[in-house]
């Protein structure tokens, strides 16, 4: 079965959206995934397209020229004090660019608040034809598959879904068999990468690995085939940030090798 691949922005975050689109096209990807909602982390580029009309124009032109599709935008985080309506301009731009999905994750321990916020984000995204995929992250507040499914059941929104990241799943302690109980329609795309075997000794080390030192597909300790075989035939978004390799190879060659490792793994 033919697999389709997207280049996730975190893999080459230093590249602006149009730069990412052109190099993804040259490397042979089917989709791109853009971080158009800035997280405000130290040193992180700001690609908030609705605030930068020229960058939006260039991004739209790059998609048209390459004929690549926008798979998803990120990251609609849920945190204390969030007003979900602040994400609406990003949803408008995503729809304008032909995007399909919005990635979300939870960074507050207030269960009633985050459940209400996620439900509202789904409602706000729906008029734009967008689904909202909830991701569990080992350094966030929702860190396991079970807790994520609890939120999805509670909100009961038809455009809500589950986004599993291979690295995060590996660190969560969940078993591959746990995926069998998830409704297949909740899977719309998957973050594919590999990671070193074993458990990081500190939160700081885990953060460093997940943001700067993920591995090519098939190179690390994750049993990716057992995960992917439980999913429908959905796009695989390659989120493989590796600062050292990107610097040594250049962004385009690094993105090409990320894709080739995935194709080789599933061949």
């Amino acid at each position: 079965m033919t697999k389709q691949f997207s280049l996730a922005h975190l893999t080459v975050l230093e590249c602006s959206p149009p730069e990412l689109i052109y190099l993804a096209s040259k490397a042979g990807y089917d989709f791109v995934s853009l971080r158009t909602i800035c997280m405000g982390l130290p040193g992180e580029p700001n690609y908030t397209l609705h605030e930068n009309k020229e960058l939006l124009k260039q991004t739209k032109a790059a998609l048209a020229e390459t004929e690549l599709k926008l798979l998803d935008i990120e990251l609609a985080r849920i945190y204390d004090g969030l007003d979900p309506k602040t994400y609406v301009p990003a949803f408008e731009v995503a729809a304008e660019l032909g995007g399909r999905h919005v990635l979300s994750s939870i960074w507050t321990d207030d269960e009633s608040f985050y459940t209400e916020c996620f439900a509202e984000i789904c409602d706000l995204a729906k008029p734009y034809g967008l689904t909202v995929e909830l991701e569990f992250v080992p350094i966030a507040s929702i860190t396991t598959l079970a807790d994520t499914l609890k939120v999805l059941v509670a909100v009961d929104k038809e455009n809500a879904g589950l986004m599993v990241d291979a690295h995060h799943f590996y660190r969560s302690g969940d078993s591959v068999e746990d995926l069998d109980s998830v409704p297949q329609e909740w899977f719309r795309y998957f973050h594919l990468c590999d990671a070193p075997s074993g458990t990081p000794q500190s939160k700081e080390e885990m953060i460093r690995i997940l943001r700067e030192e993920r591995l090519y597909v098939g190179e690390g300790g994750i049993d990716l085939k057992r995960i992917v075989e439980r999913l429908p035939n959905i796009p695989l978004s390659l989120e493989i940030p590796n600062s050292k390799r990107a610097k040594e190879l250049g962004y385009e060659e690094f993105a090409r090798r990320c894709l080739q490792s995935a194709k080789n793994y599933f061949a």
Side-chain angles (χ1 to χ4, degrees), residues 152-266:
L152 293 174
V153 170
V155 301
D156 191 25
K157 300 291 184 181
E158 65 179 3
N159 67 327
L162 169 70
M163 208 297 296
V164 177
D165 179 293
H167 171 277
H168 303 342
F169 185 84
Y170 184 55
R171 302 299 186 204
S172 71
D174 291 303
S175 70
V176 174
E177 289 74 21
D178 293 334
L179 294 170
D180 295 336
S181 64
V182 180
Q184 289 283 285
E185 62 270 20
W186 284 3
F187 295 114
R188 298 189 180 102
Y189 67 102
F190 173 73
H191 269 177
L192 182 65
C193 68
D194 216 329
S197 300
T199 303
Q201 296 302 304
S202 67
K203 180 179 179 180
E204 290 72 25
E205 177 67 1
M206 184 181 293
I207 293 172
R208 187 186 66 79
I209 291 172
L210 71 86
R211 290 190 64 88
E212 300 179 15
E213 204 172 293
R214 299 197 203 188
L215 302 177
Y216 292 135
V217 177
E219 188 181 29
I222 307 177
D223 192 347
L224 294 166
K225 286 182 180 176
R226 290 187 64 224
I227 299 174
V228 173
E229 70 185 9
R230 287 173 157 76
L231 308 178
N233 187 29
I234 53 178
L236 304 175
S237 184
L238 300 188
E239 187 169 87
I240 313 179
N242 189 300
S243 301
K244 182 179 179 181
R245 286 175 171 171
K247 184 176 181 180
E248 291 175 347
L249 297 169
Y251 297 123
E252 183 178 328
E253 179 60 24
F254 175 57
R256 182 177 288 109
R257 294 193 187 190
C258 288
L259 178 59
Q260 193 58 53
S261 75
K263 288 182 174 182
N264 291 345
Y265 183 82
F266 292 110

Side-chain angles (χ1 to χ4, degrees), residues 78 102-108 111 114-115 118-119 122 132-138 140-157 160-165 168-169 172 174 178-179 181-183 186-188:
I78 297 171
V102 177
L103 185 62
S104 182
S105 55
I106 294 171
W107 301 74
T108 169
E111 183 174 354
Y114 67 63
T115 303
F118 184 70
C122 292
V132 185
E133 316 309 320
L134 188 57
E135 175 185 28
F136 52 99
V137 183
S141 296
I142 295 296
T143 62
T144 66
L145 176 64
D147 286 341
T148 310
L149 297 180
K150 182 179 177 182
V151 178
L152 293 174
V153 170
V155 301
D156 191 25
K157 300 291 184 181
L162 169 70
M163 208 297 296
V164 177
D165 179 293
H168 303 342
F169 185 84
S172 71
D174 291 303
D178 293 334
L179 294 170
S181 64
V182 180
W186 284 3
F187 295 114
R188 298 189 180 102

